[in-house]
């Protein structure tokens, strides 16, 4: 009997997430395979959708648009903030992660893109926003 990946399957797989120009962000190929429960948020829904219906031994390779994954970049999520509004002990450097607390108490995470003596430009877009993403997977087992 052939095992098919279903929307609630527990699966063992190797997978890779990379940009379409080859920059690799995550890969289990060459390492220990991942064991993931679908439908529980362990893998982004667009990636799960690529796996549903696949059989053990199948390989899939999909290119997903920004709209299908992390969305387009949003200019309004790039903000210039006063250095005085940042914690005094915060280590700041270009491309470092910065965490701020919103007036409502929510923690916001962004990447520092520019700095000067008065302000810091922080990009709160998801790092993969606006990028097409290649998702490759090899199904090892369906449990």
């Amino acid at each position: 009997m052939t095992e098919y990946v279903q929307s609630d399957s527990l699966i063992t797989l190797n997978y890779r997430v990379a940009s379409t120009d080859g920059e690799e962000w995550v890969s289990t190929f060459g390492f220990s395979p991942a064991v993931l429960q679908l439908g529980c948020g362990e893998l982004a829904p667009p990636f799960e959708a690529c796996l549903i219906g696949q059989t053990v031994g199948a390989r899939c390779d999909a290119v997903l648009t920004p709209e299908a994954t992390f969305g387009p970049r949003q200019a309004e999520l790039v903000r210039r903030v006063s250095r005085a509004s940042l914690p005094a002990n915060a280590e700041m450097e270009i491309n470092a992660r910065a965490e701020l607390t919103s007036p409502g108490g929510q923690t916001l995470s962004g990447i520092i893109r520019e700095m000067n003596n008065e302000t810091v430009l922080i990009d709160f877009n998801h790092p993969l926003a606006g990028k097409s993403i290649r998702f490759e997977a090899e199904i090892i087992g369906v449990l």
Side-chain angles (χ1 to χ4, degrees):
M1 181 167 123
T2 304
E3 299 266 353
Y4 290 92
V5 176
Q6 298 176 24
S7 61
D8 62 348
S9 292
L10 179 63
I11 61 173
T12 303
L13 76 163
N14 279 311
Y15 72 98
R16 176 179 296 117
V17 178
S19 68
T20 53
D21 63 6
E23 181 184 1
E24 190 171 272
W25 295 305
V26 176
S27 179
T28 64
F29 287 97
F31 301 100
S32 295
V35 178
L36 300 172
Q37 177 72 51
L38 298 187
C40 293
E42 292 183 341
L43 196 61
F47 301 145
E48 286 189 3
C50 295
L51 301 173
I52 294 172
Q54 299 289 336
T55 60
V56 172
R59 289 186 68 105
C60 58
D61 185 355
V63 174
L64 304 168
T65 65
E67 293 73 25
T69 55
F70 299 99
R73 291 192 50 74
Q74 298 177 46
E76 63 272 16
L77 294 180
V78 179
R79 297 286 181 103
R80 189 165 298 279
V81 298
S82 165
R83 278 187 176 243
S85 68
L86 300 173
N89 62 348
E91 289 188 37
M92 290 186 286
E93 60 184 56
I94 302 297
N95 295 323
R97 183 160 303 284
E99 290 195 357
L100 301 169
T101 303
S102 74
Q106 180 183 15
T107 300
L108 304 172
S109 183
I111 303 293
I112 297 172
R113 298 296 181 201
E114 293 177 8
M115 296 186 308
N116 63 35
N117 290 335
E118 304 294 319
T119 63
V120 177
L121 185 69
I122 303 176
D123 184 351
F124 292 101
N125 282 286
H126 187 285
L128 303 180
K131 297 183 179 188
S132 292
I133 296 173
R134 179 175 298 281
F135 176 70
E136 299 172 67
E138 174 187 30
I139 309 300
I140 297 169
V142 178
L143 309 172

